[in-house]
Amino acid sequence: MDYKNMKSKRILAGMLALLLASGTAPVNFGSALTTGAAIAEGIGPKNEKPGTDHSDRNEKAETSEDITSSDETETVTADEDNTASESVNDSNNGSNTNDTEATDSETTDQETADEETTDAETTDAETTDEETTDDESVIIITPDIDIPIGAEIFINSDDHFFDGKTSLRIGNVISADRAKLDYDSYDLQCGYKFMFNAPNSSGSFTIGIANEDGSLTPLGLVCVSGSGTKNDPYMFEAVYKKEEKKRNAGSFVTVDSIKEAVEKMTDVSPEDAKAWLAANADAIKAAEPDYHGTYDLFFMYKGDYYCKTITYNHLNADYITAHNFKWDHINEKSYKSIMYQCLGQKEHILVWGNADEQAPVTYIKTEAKEPTCTEAGNSEYYKGPDNKYYKLENGVYTEIAENSWVIEAKGHSYGQPEWIWNDDLTASAKIVCEECGDIVYFEADVTSKVIAEPTYAADGKIMYIAAILFEDNVYSCTMTVSVPKFELTYVEAVAPSCTEGGSIGYWYDASNDRYFTDENGENEITKAETFVEAVGHTMGNKVIENYVKPTYLSDGGYDEVYYCVVCGEELFREHIALSKLKYKAPALTYTKAINAVNLSWAPVEDAERYGIAGYVNGKWQLLYNCEDTSFVLNGLTEGREYWIAVIPKCNGKWITDFSNAIVVSSQSTVGRYPILSAVEHSEETHQFRLRWSAVKGAQQYGVAVYLSGKWQIVKQDIPAETTYFTSPKLTAGQTYRMVICAKINGKWDTSNINARSFSVTVQPEASVNHGNYEADDFVFSGNVYIVGDSTVCNYKPETTESKGSCGWGMKLGEQFEGVNVTNLARAGRSSRSFMNDPEYKILCDSIGKGDYLFIQFGHNDERTAEPQHAAYPYLEFSTLDGEGKNPNGQYSYEWMLLNKYVKVAQEKGATAVLVTPVSRRAKDGTAMIEEHKQYSDAVVALGKKYNIPVIDMTTKTAELYNKLYEEGGEEATAELHCYLDETRTTIDNTHLSVKGCELIADILAEETKTLGLKISERLI
């Protein structure tokens, strides 16, 4: 039987199976076809993984259900495989087009069977006698069936049989009028074969292509053999005109996949395959000259498969035509498994296919090329598949020797040189090949010959000859150049300078660069003879420059310089160093005054300012500075001695030599003058109370006021034990100049009365709106600033760890939610000294609208022995200057708080809160507030007068101490304080512990609520 290519067989196999699932126009297969169930099975898809199969055709017929069985190889996984499997196994998936079920043991007469063989029904690719008996009429459509002539089949891009519009059917018997057909259909893929039983409702059925109107176009199929049993199925083949069928010549073609192998493989007999391979072995190797691996060859013949693995060295005619060469016979699944393995090993796979799919064995042509001057040419020649060389004459390839086609290079053909003269009378030449244009360059040898010398009347002439040697030939070229006649120009004489030479006057021939002393050009000289040497410098007197006067801190010096008196050029410079001056501190003297001393000292050369330094807490500190050589140091405590020194500031630096230090003390007033210590006001009654220091030996005290140009006694019978005076009700705002005198030994001491006088202003009643310290539109920003002393400031963690030290500013933020606390407080600071720290500038620059400022000073303001800290309460504001200082040099405590802190905050839109100093702890464990009670009272009075919120922590902490003392004694109050040092043995009765700060911060936070401050809205 003559066959078409493999692809056509696979298409027909699928068509027949599908056609048997649909048919309309009946085709009678004879009485041997009995009723029975239809079973369909597919041939494995083109990209199926390797598997095993039986090589015997009868076994293949018996195990045609193996597509649904389990074997030792991998199962089908590709999309085409899955589609096909679903189509074949509809009954296993619970789908039956006739809505019936067929079991292994029974099939009813009313059922049209679609049932397929499943894994459970088939074992080891064999069908048992119980499942299919010899009495059943079984038809197997195998790949031996070809496509009939004239059948139109549509195949889509993924190689399915149809484009979705055409299908094949297996149909039951048609109805009486044969206009309507009941049928089952399968969506089948390319590459499957199908086995089915004839429909049981009729002795005949139709195989065909379904039309759009439901009818079928019958296929021309004829049964050629078989009895219709399982072991001897009916075999069909297409009806076609044999004279129109052509057999295409074939060859082995290379494939890259099992899919490609299935598509391209066609039939060839083993003898024809062997003969073709022997004839084309060299051509196969020549097609890929770099490959020297193994070749695996496959082909099929009458349904059987053959293969052979041949190494590169055995791929030759001698090996293939040997008597012991034979093809290996394999079954269908085996060839796919072997091919799969070969593909994994990157071997060359060849299958027998149509000749038009095999790349033809060709001779590679090299075109003829003409030789050039420098490169050889060649005649036309070919390289054959055997790597030998040939020429083509009259359609016949004749072998030729290698390189016999070479035509030697022709060599250059140069013309005459082209000459190039340069401005400097050098010359070059180039010679060009007339064939290829190649250029050779030469630098010529140039000689000259004078034809006529120039004169002042006529030009001269010189001939230049250029010559080259090329290929044993000498080429030359000449050029004549005119030499200009002489033209003389007079050059004026140039006088020489100190450093540069001059020249005589002379006549110059610029054309010929010649020099003459006369205008006729008769007396020639050289250029050197025109030069006149420089005359040299004349040194002047010594000049002093860059003088730097030596100081007490740095060296000085100057430069000695000499210049030329003619040209002014510097001729010599020498630096003279001067050692710094030996400093001697100026002698310091003083005179005493009340609570002050008048200092004076000798001037220091080049001093810019003078500093007054005091020895405080074991080190020198700069207290004041001035420009004069005298200074009044105020604010001293009577009866106390002070170490004072004066240092100069030179060149912007202080000379820290304190060797002129002296001990000073203020004038003693004991037994002479009462000193005003405080002024207390009553705004309600417009009165004030004066307090003063007691005078030893005083019998009485008297108070006088200066009115109408003289002193008038107000009261003079004040007992000696009474050191205060309360004024009568006076006019608010009125200022009085007053003095206090003592009566000693029966005589009033009025000495120095004017110097001891002071002024007091009657204070008006303050307009206070308690509990309303903030405007209605005040919005708290969340920022809180704190200034103060060591009871408030932050401490390092190691100090807290070793001594237990803490400041209440570290704990205030824990009392509120959403509050950012900036604690600027510093240890040892008073309201005055804090302003010298960078933290004060940070406060002034940073505080803004909606912020809070908590202010606590006083512990260090009361250190009146230290002028840089001291600030006094109850000083009359009317007696203060612009820095808050009265004529006695005392600074006002309240003035500092009000002007340097409260107003700074208020001007920025912030709320200032005054906090009185926290209480100290007495040795017995009780509260000790006497030392700073007057400072606390002054803060309360200031807040009352100017409507500033005040938290009286002096009173609050005193109450806390007393309560704790009553409950737990001195140990209870000791817990509020840290230790003096790391030994943790002695309680520090001034500074606080963590626990103490937590309690104080809690009290302070609660007081913000009492005051009605908006920050209290964020209390935790």
Side-chain angles (χ1 to χ4, degrees):
M1 181 180 296
D2 192 13
Y3 301 102
K4 292 186 178 181
N5 59 52
M6 184 63 178
K7 189 170 184 179
S8 299
K9 296 175 184 179
R10 290 188 289 103
I11 295 173
L12 180 58
M15 287 174 53
L16 293 176
L18 292 171
L19 288 170
L20 291 174
S22 61
T24 52
V27 174
N28 195 337
F29 292 98
S31 60
L33 299 179
T34 62
T35 61
I39 302 174
E41 179 187 1
I43 302 171
K46 296 172 289 184
N47 55 353
E48 182 180 18
K49 294 184 179 179
T52 60
D53 198 1
H54 301 288
S55 60
D56 185 77
R57 286 181 57 84
N58 290 331
E59 284 182 274
K60 289 197 291 183
E62 292 173 359
T63 60
S64 57
E65 300 92 333
D66 60 6
I67 193 168
T68 62
S69 65
S70 172
D71 54 35
E72 296 177 355
T73 62
E74 298 181 5
T75 58
V76 175
T77 59
D79 291 342
E80 294 181 353
D81 303 342
N82 295 336
T83 306
S85 299
E86 292 169 2
S87 301
V88 172
N89 296 312
D90 286 344
S91 63
N92 293 335
N93 296 329
S95 174
N96 189 301
T97 55
N98 294 324
D99 296 325
T100 62
E101 296 183 357
T103 67
D104 293 344
S105 59
E106 61 180 358
T107 303
T108 64
D109 293 340
Q110 290 78 21
E111 294 172 335
T112 300
D114 304 73
E115 137 184 48
E116 305 167 23
T117 306
T118 67
D119 291 342
E121 296 167 338
T122 304
T123 305
D124 296 331
E126 294 181 359
T127 304
T128 64
D129 293 336
E130 293 180 358
E131 295 167 341
T132 304
T133 65
D134 291 342
D135 294 334
E136 292 178 320
S137 298
V138 178
I139 301 174
I140 297 178
I141 301 177
T142 70
D144 294 329
I145 305 300
D146 248 327
I147 298 176
I149 299 298
E152 294 184 2
I153 307 298
F154 295 91
I155 302 176
N156 64 11
S157 61
D158 59 0
D159 210 15
H160 288 188
F161 276 120
F162 305 107
D163 60 1
K165 298 180 181 179
T166 307
S167 62
L168 295 181
R169 312 275 185 186
I170 300 175
N172 294 337
V173 65
I174 60 176
S175 59
D177 58 5
R178 300 196 174 192
K180 184 177 181 182
L181 177 68
D182 296 322
Y183 55 83
D184 299 324
S185 64
Y186 296 85
D187 183 13
L188 304 176
Q189 290 182 325
C190 175
Y192 283 86
K193 63 181 180 179
F194 292 89
M195 179 180 73
F196 55 91
N197 289 342
N200 57 12
S201 58
S202 174
S204 63
F205 57 92
T206 300
I207 300 174
I209 301 175
N211 301 316
E212 292 183 357
D213 60 359
S215 64
L216 296 181
T217 300
L219 294 179
L221 301 173
V222 62
C223 179
V224 296
S225 65
S227 60
T229 64
K230 180 177 180 64
N231 294 327
D232 186 20
Y234 287 108
M235 302 297 295
F236 290 83
E237 68 179 32
V239 177
Y240 58 90
K241 295 180 182 180
K242 292 188 177 183
E243 62 273 17
E244 295 178 3
K245 189 169 185 179
K246 296 182 182 179
R247 179 177 180 83
N248 292 329
S251 62
F252 280 106
V253 296
T254 303
V255 296
D256 296 322
S257 66
I258 296 176
K259 175 182 176 182
E260 187 180 3
V262 172
E263 290 176 345
K264 291 186 176 181
M265 190 182 296
T266 60
D267 270 22
V268 64
S269 69
E271 292 77 12
D272 290 345
K274 178 178 179 180
W276 186 94
L277 184 60
N280 293 277
D282 291 340
I284 292 175
K285 293 195 288 185
E288 290 189 80
D290 294 332
Y291 179 74
H292 293 80
T294 301
Y295 295 85
D296 299 286
L297 299 100
F298 297 85
F299 64 91
M300 62 181 292
Y301 183 62
K302 295 185 178 181
D304 289 335
Y305 293 86
Y306 299 86
C307 72
K308 188 68 175 180
T309 298
I310 304 178
T311 65
Y312 179 82
N313 293 332
H314 284 161
L315 188 59
N316 56 69
D318 292 340
Y319 174 77
I320 297 170
T321 57
H323 70 279
N324 58 347
F325 179 88
K326 61 181 292 185
W327 298 101
D328 296 324
H329 181 238
I330 57 176
N331 60 35
E332 179 179 0
K333 287 191 175 180
S334 295
Y335 102 78
K336 294 180 180 177
S337 176
I338 295 170
M339 189 178 294
Y340 181 81
Q341 296 172 10
C342 294
L343 286 170
Q345 297 170 2
K346 305 297 183 181
E347 298 177 356
H348 277 41
I349 308 298
L350 296 94
V351 301
W352 185 269
N354 288 336
D356 55 1
E357 295 180 356
Q358 169 67 28
V361 178
T362 60
Y363 289 81
I364 300 173
K365 179 181 179 181
T366 300
E367 298 287 348
K369 184 176 73 172
E370 290 294 330
T372 66
C373 296
T374 57
E375 295 182 357
N378 62 271
S379 59
E380 179 183 280
Y381 66 96
Y382 297 81
K383 185 176 184 180
D386 53 359
N387 290 326
K388 296 180 180 180
Y389 298 96
Y390 299 86
K391 65 179 179 178
L392 180 61
E393 294 180 340
N394 299 322
V396 178
Y397 290 96
T398 305
E399 185 176 353
I400 60 175
E402 187 173 358
N403 294 327
S404 62
W405 53 79
V406 176
I407 304 173
E408 301 222 352
K410 296 187 296 184
H412 291 294
S413 177
Y414 290 103
Q416 291 298 313
E418 298 178 19
W419 295 93
I420 302 170
W421 286 93
N422 302 315
D423 293 340
D424 60 355
L425 297 177
T426 59
S428 60
K430 70 175 182 178
I431 302 179
V432 182
C433 176
E434 296 175 347
E435 288 288 334
C436 66
D438 181 67
I439 301 175
V440 180
Y441 290 93
F442 297 89
E443 291 296 330
D445 293 328
V446 179
T447 59
S448 63
K449 180 181 179 181
V450 177
I451 298 176
E453 293 286 351
T455 66
Y456 290 105
D459 294 338
K461 287 185 179 181
I462 300 176
M463 182 174 66
Y464 293 88
I465 304 98
I468 62 172
L469 177 64
F470 178 60
E471 293 183 344
D472 298 329
N473 293 320
V474 176
Y475 302 88
S476 64
C477 178
T478 62
M479 184 176 70
T480 301
V481 177
S482 295
V483 180
K485 64 181 180 179
F486 297 146
E487 292 184 5
L488 296 177
T489 303
Y490 184 71
V491 178
E492 297 286 344
V494 176
S497 67
C498 296
T499 57
E500 295 181 355
S503 63
I504 63 172
Y506 59 90
W507 294 87
Y508 179 58
D509 181 358
S511 299
N512 298 287
D513 193 24
R514 298 174 67 182
Y515 302 82
F516 300 90
T517 59
D518 63 296
E519 61 181 344
N520 296 322
E522 296 176 353
N523 186 20
E524 186 173 2
I525 59 175
T526 64
K527 182 178 181 180
E529 292 175 316
T530 66
F531 290 141
V532 178
E533 292 184 357
V535 298
H537 291 295
T538 301
M539 182 178 292
N541 296 325
K542 177 175 65 176
V543 177
I544 303 300
E545 292 183 352
N546 301 324
Y547 178 78
V548 176
K549 185 178 181 181
T551 68
Y552 299 110
L553 298 174
S554 60
D555 295 333
Y558 60 91
D559 294 333
E560 291 183 354
V561 188
Y562 294 88
Y563 293 95
C564 176
V565 296
V566 177
C567 66
E569 183 177 344
E570 181 181 316
L571 304 179
F572 177 80
R573 178 180 294 269
E574 180 181 9
H575 180 72
I576 307 299
L578 298 175
S579 299
K580 62 182 178 182
L581 301 177
K582 186 176 181 179
Y583 174 74
K584 182 178 180 181
L588 180 62
T589 60
Y590 81 101
T591 60
K592 295 183 178 182
I594 299 175
N595 297 117
V597 293
N598 297 316
L599 300 173
S600 60
W601 55 90
V604 176
E605 185 178 2
D606 298 326
E608 300 162 2
R609 296 186 71 83
Y610 297 94
I612 294 83
Y615 192 74
V616 181
N617 293 333
K619 60 182 179 180
W620 287 99
Q621 297 184 19
L622 186 64
L623 305 178
Y624 306 98
N625 66 84
C626 64
E627 295 181 352
D628 298 329
T629 57
S630 63
F631 184 79
V632 178
L633 182 60
N634 293 303
L636 304 183
T637 300
E638 183 179 338
R640 183 172 183 143
E641 295 182 336
Y642 300 87
W643 275 96
I644 302 297
V646 173
I647 59 175
K649 188 176 189 179
C650 300
N651 295 330
K653 294 183 179 180
W654 292 104
I655 300 176
T656 55
D657 183 344
F658 303 100
S659 60
N660 64 352
I662 60 174
V663 177
V664 301
S665 61
S666 62
Q667 178 178 326
S668 175
T669 60
V670 176
R672 295 188 63 186
Y673 307 129
I675 303 300
L676 180 68
S677 59
V679 179
E680 300 173 4
H681 294 272
S682 173
E683 290 85 351
E684 292 86 352
T685 61
H686 300 162
Q687 293 176 284
F688 58 82
R689 175 175 291 172
L690 306 178
R691 294 182 183 272
W692 57 84
S693 59
V695 177
K696 188 176 181 180
Q699 298 169 315
Q700 287 181 325
Y701 296 100
V703 178
V705 61
Y706 192 79
L707 296 174
S708 302
K710 62 181 180 178
W711 289 101
Q712 297 182 19
I713 298 174
V714 177
K715 188 174 181 63
Q716 61 179 1
D717 55 353
I718 302 172
E721 63 273 12
T722 303
T723 57
Y724 64 87
F725 163 75
T726 302
S727 72
K729 293 183 180 180
L730 302 171
T731 304
Q734 186 67 44
T735 300
Y736 299 93
R737 183 181 176 189
M738 306 186 73
V739 69
I740 304 170
C741 297
K743 186 177 183 181
I744 303 173
N745 296 324
K747 184 178 180 180
W748 290 99
D749 184 2
T750 59
S751 62
N752 203 24
I753 190 171
N754 291 325
R756 294 190 290 112
S757 65
F758 55 88
S759 297
V760 179
T761 301
V762 180
Q763 299 297 318
E765 183 175 359
S767 176
V768 180
N769 185 14
H770 295 289
N772 187 19
Y773 299 107
E774 297 167 329
D776 293 338
D777 60 352
F778 179 82
V779 178
F780 177 34
S781 66
N783 296 322
V784 173
Y785 293 86
I786 305 175
V787 294
D789 49 41
S790 55
T791 63
V792 187
C793 70
N794 293 333
Y795 286 89
K796 295 180 180 179
E798 51 266 31
T799 304
T800 302
E801 179 68 22
S802 61
K803 298 168 58 178
S805 304
C806 189
W808 63 255
M810 298 171 65
K811 297 297 180 180
L812 183 62
E814 298 175 4
Q815 308 298 320
F816 301 93
E817 183 177 4
V819 171
N820 177 40
V821 174
T822 302
N823 189 4
L824 300 174
R826 295 196 66 185
R829 300 309 191 265
S830 68
S831 60
R832 285 183 57 215
S833 61
F834 183 81
M835 292 187 295
N836 298 323
D837 294 324
E839 284 76 7
Y840 182 74
K841 185 176 187 306
I842 293 173
L843 171 68
C844 297
D845 293 342
S846 303
I847 196 167
K849 186 176 182 179
D851 297 345
Y852 277 91
L853 172 62
F854 288 84
I855 309 160
Q856 180 203 286
F857 290 108
H859 281 297
N860 298 304
D861 294 76
E862 65 188 22
R863 292 158 61 181
T864 55
E866 301 174 21
Q868 74 275 23
H869 291 299
Y872 298 84
Y874 299 118
L875 296 185
E876 179 60 40
F877 276 22
S878 61
T879 66
L880 305 179
D881 60 15
E883 296 181 354
K885 182 175 64 175
N886 68 8
N888 294 328
Q890 298 171 321
Y891 288 88
S892 169
Y893 173 61
E894 299 98 305
W895 190 92
M896 291 294 170
L897 295 178
L898 177 65
N899 292 278
K900 298 300 182 180
Y901 298 95
V902 174
K903 289 185 178 180
V904 168
Q906 291 176 344
E907 288 171 0
K908 293 290 189 72
T911 295
V913 180
L914 292 170
V915 181
T916 63
V918 296
S919 176
R920 288 188 174 96
R921 177 179 179 271
K923 291 182 179 181
D924 62 358
T926 60
M928 184 174 64
I929 62 174
E930 290 78 9
E931 293 184 356
H932 49 260
K933 182 66 171 65
Q934 57 182 331
Y935 286 86
S936 301
D937 293 344
V939 172
V940 173
L942 180 68
K944 182 179 180 182
K945 180 176 182 179
Y946 291 96
N947 195 33
I948 303 167
V950 177
I951 299 176
D952 187 2
M953 291 305 295
T954 303
T955 301
K956 293 292 181 181
T957 53
E959 293 172 353
L960 173 65
Y961 278 66
N962 294 334
K963 178 181 178 182
L964 292 175
Y965 185 81
E966 291 175 2
E967 296 174 351
E970 62 180 284
E971 293 181 358
T973 57
E975 293 180 356
L976 305 184
H977 289 263
C978 62
Y979 296 92
L980 284 175
D981 53 38
E982 289 80 359
T983 62
R984 301 174 76 92
T985 56
T986 306
I987 295 295
D988 183 337
N989 289 321
T990 296
H991 300 104
L992 302 169
S993 66
V994 174
K995 180 178 179 180
C997 289
E998 289 174 345
L999 291 174
I1000 290 172
D1002 182 62
I1003 295 172
L1004 194 148
E1006 285 297 322
E1007 285 300 301
T1008 63
K1009 186 176 182 180
T1010 303
L1011 294 171
L1013 302 180
K1014 293 187 178 179
I1015 188 176
S1016 64
E1017 297 173 359
R1018 301 197 186 185
L1019 280 170
I1020 297 177

